[in-house]
Structures are given as C-alpha cells and as structure tokens.
Amino acid sequence: MVLSVLQEVTEKLLDEVGGPSLVAMWDGGNIVRNLPLEGTFTIGRAPDCDIVIDHKSISRKHAVLFLGRSLEVEDQGSSNKTKLGGVAIAPGTRIQVPWREPIEVGGAIVVVRPPKGLDEGANSNVGVSMKLDAERLVELVAKTEMSVLLLGETGSGKGYAAEQIHRKSKRAAGPWLHLNCAALPTHLLEAELFGYERGAFTGANQAKEGLLEAAAGGTVFLDEVGELPLPVQAKLLIALEHRAVMRLGALKARPINVRFIAATNAAIDEARGSETFRRDLYYRLAGMPIMVPPLRSRKAEIPALVAKFLSEGSQRLNRAEPVLTKDALARLTQYAWPGNIRELGMVIERALLWAGDTLEAHHLNIGFGALGSQLPAPPTAPLKTEPPPPTAAAIDRSLQDDLREVEKKRILAALDQCSGNQSRAASLLGIARGTLISRMNEFGLPRPRKG
C-alpha cells in the first residue's frame, strides 16, 4: 500500500528498528529501508546502486551516503545536483548532514533517521521535528515538480495547503487553476478539462482550449478528485503520463506544462482497488501524499486564523474590527471544530454581525443552528462606522428582517463570485447545495439556467 501518511511510517520504523532507517520520496514512488549501523551506500538510477530511485531526475550514480556515528553525503557529479537546505553540494565534497534533515537528491527527498542512542548526540539535530509534519512536507514538496495528493477532512485547509505549494514553487508566477471536480456536470467536465475542436459536437462553433492547456506554466488543483467519473479518470491518466491532452474531436495531442495537485476527503486510497477510482491514476496523483490534520489537532494555529478572519470579515462588512476578549479566544480554542477551518471562518463572520467594539464569548454561538432560532442580543454599542441616520421604515423593521437581508446579500455575492455556480457558491458559504437552493427559493432569487 502506498504511504498515505508518511509520519506514521517513519515513527513506526523508529519504534521497531534499532539501527538507522531511510525514507525516500519522489514523484511516482517511495522507499522505506532499514540500514546497518555503518557503511557506504550509493543512491542512483542504476540497478547496482544500494538505493535505487527510478526517476528521470536522478543520475545513474547520483550521491553517496556515509553512515557511522554521524551522517555524511557526497554528490557524485550528478546532473540535477544534491542539495542540503536548498544549497547544491559541490561534486566530490563530503558534507555532514544532521539526522532527519531532508536531502534533495535530484527530484527526490531522502531522510535518514538515526539509530537509537544517537538522538541526543552532537549530530542529533534537536531543532528538527521527530517527524515530518504536514507543514514541513508542504515546504519541501513545493520546491519539486512532484504531483501532490492532499488528504483530510472537509474544511481542514487542503485548498490553503495547495495554494501554499503553488506560491512557494517555481511556478508561482504562472496560472493557478482551482477546479472543483464535484461542481461541474459530468457532460461538461471532459470538455472543460481537455478542450474541443470546432464541430466536435453540436454547438461547438469554434475550437476551445481546455483548462489544462490554459494553465500552461502554472499549477492545476483538482479539488474533490475522488468525484471524477471513470471515463474522465482515464483521460486524466494519459495527460499525467504523457504530459499531453487530446481535445474532443482532435486527431493530434497537444503538450501541456502544468503541475498537478489533487485533494479529497474521500478514502480513495481504499477505493482505488474498487471500481470507483483507478489504481494507476492514484499512483500518479499520489507522488507525495500529505495528510492535512483537522483543526482540533492544530489548536496552536487558531489565534492566527481568528485574527485573519476578523480582519477580512470586518473589511467585507465595512466596519471597525472589534477587540477579541480572552474568554472568547479561550472558547474558540477549546471547541472541537467538526467543520474545521471552514466552520471557524463562518463562526467569526456571524459573530461580527452582533459584536460591537468588543467581541465576547456570547457573540460566538458556536454550534449555532438555523438562523433565527436563538438569536443573540444585538450589540449595545454602535459599530465604529458612520451609517446614515435610520429612517422610520428602518426603525420599524425587525431584527429578523435585517438578518434576512444580510443573508440574501451574502447569497447574491457568493453566486456572483462563483459566476452563478450553485455548488461552488454553497461551498463558499459553508452550507449544503440543497440548503442554498431552498434559501434562494425563499428569497425569490432566480436560479441560473442550465446549459
């Protein structure tokens, strides 16, 4: 089974093996090896190397590892260099490497764990975590061209992690294409991804390049990739393998230059052996699988996220940013957040409707149900804005009427931002698509026409 959570594997190795161990990762594969306490080990693409990495970025004899009381590495004059901390090692020069410090061998990442008993030694590199956490993996993989598969619960921040990989990569200046595979209708998905030629089908009056072509030089983020229909999976596999796409109705493939990042909250690692997801496509997408932990296990990040949501939400509502009390922050930190980062953002934005100069714990309404069921008290102090004086009609309006108006404006803004796509608008609002449609009908909002 392909490693879906690298951390668990490396920690298990440390528990079961007394000697050093090696983990190597590259686009399309990985190796976990137990090593003797001392010796010399070659890394390369040649079959006679001690550590064989079959990847085009690796030279036949790429680098040598020297194991003993310390760890050293030497580049063997490779084409794509051996790097430590992003700095290329001069060929023929032996460099001491801290245990657990990632070594870039061409397009692969190699990590050597120390034998038991050396953890507190001079070369133990105490500053490096005992395991490669998701944030560190994101930092490492951003510098490579690996395909990345992000796994985790809904709303845990997979999209944010994907954007970070793009922004920290060599493709940062190129296009960033975020495609929700569950949002596009099946009959449109293939044409949107791969494009079509004139006359390919009724209504195709002119040729159109697909999204994979349009993102040349950038990154394609396939969100909810587990929802791809099987016929589209087959064409995507060909695009990944040959770096080319065949437009609908075309006779010749067109080259593409994109990096693929995929994400899913579905267990496609298990589904890949069934009829719902192709095994070969999984292996291509999961060049580097990264598990994004849920927010409940990342409590230290909550204060920074809250500050970000407070600032952004206040700007959207055109109001002064309130001061967050210690009790409110404690309440936010203690909550389990089953909806993860997405739920946190919605809680903060909703609280901004009720808070005055200070946002207190009772404004949060964490776990709050349907709007209007248990509304908190309105702010006692005016917001630091200068709205026009209320008219008599406005004074006669109920709080429920105001709330409905705010909700209606939020829905219209989300639909406008998503070009009328109801699935994406619902995702942006943090509600189910059925709930969005129900609220649109209630407000008398027209639904975009299909096709």
Side-chain angles (χ1 to χ4, degrees), residues 26 57 188 290 339 376 386 450:
W26 65 94
S57 69
L188 293 180
I290 299 177
E386 296 183 2
K450 294 184 179 180

Side-chain angles (χ1 to χ4, degrees), residues 24-30 53-58 107-109 141 144-149 240 243 258-260 282-289:
M25 305 162 288
W26 65 94
D27 188 2
N30 52 71
I53 300 178
D54 187 13
H55 191 267
K56 61 183 180 181
S57 69
I58 307 297
I109 297 171
V141 81
T144 75
E145 286 290 299
M146 285 182 173
S147 297
V148 180
L149 178 63
L240 279 161
R243 297 291 161 172
V258 297
R259 181 189 191 170
F260 287 93
Y282 172 85
Y283 288 132
R284 280 292 177 181
L285 291 172
M288 170 70 79

Side-chain angles (χ1 to χ4, degrees), residues 16 55 64 66 78 158 198 228 244 281 316 318 357 362-363 394 411 421 428 444:
E16 296 180 352
H55 191 267
V64 177
F66 303 89
S78 62
K158 298 186 293 296
R198 180 180 179 183
L228 280 177
L281 177 58
R316 281 193 295 269
N318 192 29
D357 295 338
H362 69 86
H363 293 132
I411 289 174
N421 188 297
L428 184 65

Side-chain angles (χ1 to χ4, degrees), residues 8 102 119 278 287 305 309 366:
E8 295 179 4
D119 287 63
R278 295 180 61 108
L305 288 169
F309 291 140
I366 295 178

